Amino acid sequence: MIKEQLDCRQYNIDVVALQKAKWISHPCARENTLAFEKQFSSEKAVSAQLMVCGLGFFEAYINGKRIDERYFLPAFTDYEKRDVYKNRELLIGRHQRTFAYSYDVTEFLQSENTLRILVGNGYYHNVDRPEEPYVSYGDKKLLFALRLCYEEREELLLSDESVSVKYLPEVSGLYEGEYIDFSAMEDPFTFATLVPALKGEVQLVDAKDALGDVVGQTLYPISVKPLGKGLLYDFGINHSGGIVCSIKGTRGRKVVIKFAEVLYDNGEPNYETSRWCAYDEKGALTHLIDQMGEYVLSGKEDFIQPRFRWNCYRYAYIEDATDLEIKDMRSYFIHMDVENGSG
């Protein structure tokens, strides 16, 4: 009972702290991944609690260390009320909310620290459906509160206009694919701007108790075959996730990686079964979308890994592998962190 009372008191303190924070974004709206940073001192702090929500998806780091190994947070919800029409009838959700996650980050602290939070498009800012009914809820945004506890006092660091923000040279769409320009110079930091608060409820959850998507298995190619100018990697099973590898090539060179579930009889990738079909509000097909990623190389060793999107595939085909140095190719099988049940 005493522990439950303490847990309840801790939760209420964290909720109050988060309510003092402000939703922030970049002054200019673009589709690229956002990077927010806040420097802070924590000498003699005895504990630290971070409450955070980034919409669409977010990853949080302190001093370069990722604080949560799960993917695609926060969990997909009906985030907030919006006027969406389907065949001219207004669709109204019944209960709108999103999740903020509470982390004990004491072990990450140093005397001087950098909090870095990346925010990608995800479901909240879905850029792949320009036709009505619009899937996107709004532009990317961030809310956080960091509570530092000292022997006789507490200090709150909140998301506000003092937070630094910049765009990274990468775009992750749920359907249209991933694009990263490793050769591009990153934008300079600017100060964040305040944006309207979420119109739905922000529900705080203890990160230890929250479900999320995890790397359930690391798959290695069971075969690698030359195909035309490219290389075809077979990971043995169909799965959801993303490839992980290092690629080195000429600066400015574009590398295209496409994903397929099956092969044609001649051994070439069949993209039909894993291809997205985009329709407008009248149900008419507008275009087809292949699962793919495009990467512009820096001339050094560039590291590719899943972040804010996933593919469903068995085969990964690098269309032109000429003069590329590819190392440590593998695939993360990413799925919800639930135990297998038995009937």
Side-chain angles (χ1 to χ4, degrees):
M1 178 63 70
I2 294 178
K3 182 181 184 301
E4 292 177 354
Q5 291 174 345
L6 290 174
D7 289 345
C8 183
R9 178 176 179 273
Q10 172 74 46
Y11 177 81
N12 290 333
I13 292 173
D14 291 345
V15 169
V16 171
L18 190 62
Q19 289 173 340
K20 295 179 180 179
K22 300 175 182 178
W23 286 98
I24 57 175
S25 188
H26 195 285
C28 303
R30 287 166 55 189
E31 312 303 349
N32 298 54
T33 297
L34 282 171
F36 296 87
E37 284 196 1
K38 180 76 172 180
Q39 280 74 40
F40 64 97
S41 300
S42 63
E43 189 173 4
K44 296 183 180 180
V46 295
S47 66
Q49 198 76 16
L50 175 66
M51 291 69 70
V52 58
C53 177
L55 296 174
F57 296 137
F58 75 89
E59 290 181 356
Y61 301 78
I62 294 181
N63 300 322
K65 296 181 179 179
R66 189 173 169 185
I67 67 172
D68 192 332
E69 294 300 321
R70 290 171 293 186
Y71 289 81
F72 317 130
L73 297 176
F76 175 52
T77 57
D78 190 8
Y79 305 96
E80 59 184 347
K81 294 181 181 179
R82 56 181 180 152
D83 294 335
V84 176
Y85 290 86
K86 175 65 174 176
N87 297 328
R88 313 320 305 169
E89 293 183 5
L90 182 63
L91 303 178
I92 302 177
R94 290 175 294 178
H95 180 66
Q96 293 80 26
R97 64 173 178 174
T98 193
F99 297 108
Y101 296 82
S102 179
Y103 299 92
D104 183 344
V105 293
T106 308
E107 65 181 276
F108 296 90
L109 294 184
Q110 302 173 5
S111 295
E112 300 296 327
N113 306 274
T114 298
L115 171 65
R116 181 178 173 90
I117 301 173
L118 305 182
V119 179
N121 292 319
Y123 283 107
Y124 184 82
H125 184 61
N126 189 339
V127 300
D128 297 330
R129 276 294 302 272
E131 303 90 359
E132 191 181 356
Y134 303 111
V135 177
S136 179
Y137 287 76
D139 291 330
K140 298 182 290 294
K141 60 179 71 176
L142 173 67
L143 183 76
F144 74 82
L146 177 62
R147 187 164 56 85
L148 299 170
C149 300
Y150 298 86
E151 291 291 347
E152 298 180 353
R153 66 182 179 91
E154 290 187 352
E155 179 183 358
L156 274 182
L157 298 176
L158 304 172
S159 51
D160 59 20
E161 304 98 316
S162 68
V163 176
S164 299
V165 61
K166 67 178 178 180
Y167 282 111
L168 301 181
E170 60 181 62
V171 178
S172 293
L174 291 179
Y175 304 100
E176 293 285 1
E178 178 177 66
Y179 176 84
I180 300 179
D181 188 348
F182 292 106
S183 69
M185 292 184 62
E186 290 192 0
D187 290 349
F189 276 108
T190 187
F191 288 112
T193 186
L194 299 184
V195 293
L198 198 74
K199 289 178 285 188
E201 174 191 358
V202 179
Q203 181 177 334
L204 185 64
V205 296
D206 191 325
K208 299 191 302 296
D209 302 325
L211 289 177
D213 291 275
V214 298
V215 178
Q217 188 178 356
T218 300
L219 303 174
Y220 295 90
I222 62 173
S223 69
V224 183
K225 297 180 180 179
L227 182 62
K229 293 183 177 181
L231 291 174
L232 180 67
Y233 292 84
D234 180 359
F235 292 100
I237 60 172
N238 276 313
H239 62 287
S240 57
I243 63 167
V244 182
C245 68
S246 295
I247 298 182
K248 185 176 181 181
T250 305
R251 180 179 177 83
R253 186 193 193 287
K254 180 182 287 189
V255 176
V256 177
I257 305 177
K258 300 183 75 171
F259 300 89
E261 297 174 328
V262 296
L263 303 178
Y264 288 112
D265 291 340
N266 63 3
E268 294 184 358
N270 177 356
Y271 303 114
E272 295 291 337
T273 65
S274 58
R275 179 173 283 155
W276 297 98
C277 299
Y279 297 88
D280 63 20
E281 66 166 333
K282 298 179 181 179
L285 178 66
T286 59
H287 61 286
L288 300 174
I289 306 170
D290 288 333
Q291 296 189 78
M292 61 185 297
E294 294 181 288
Y295 309 93
V296 180
L297 302 182
S298 68
K300 302 178 181 179
E301 196 169 272
D302 298 314
F303 185 64
I304 295 173
Q305 62 179 330
R307 178 170 283 158
F308 296 130
R309 74 177 306 273
W310 64 92
N311 296 290
C312 297
Y313 61 100
R314 171 175 172 172
Y315 303 94
Y317 178 53
I318 300 180
E319 289 190 333
D320 184 356
T322 308
D323 300 326
L324 293 181
E325 184 179 341
I326 304 169
K327 295 181 180 179
D328 303 323
M329 175 65 76
R330 55 203 185 277
S331 181
Y332 284 165
F333 186 175
I334 300 175
H335 55 73
M336 181 62 72
D337 184 18
V338 293
E339 296 182 0
N340 291 327
S342 58

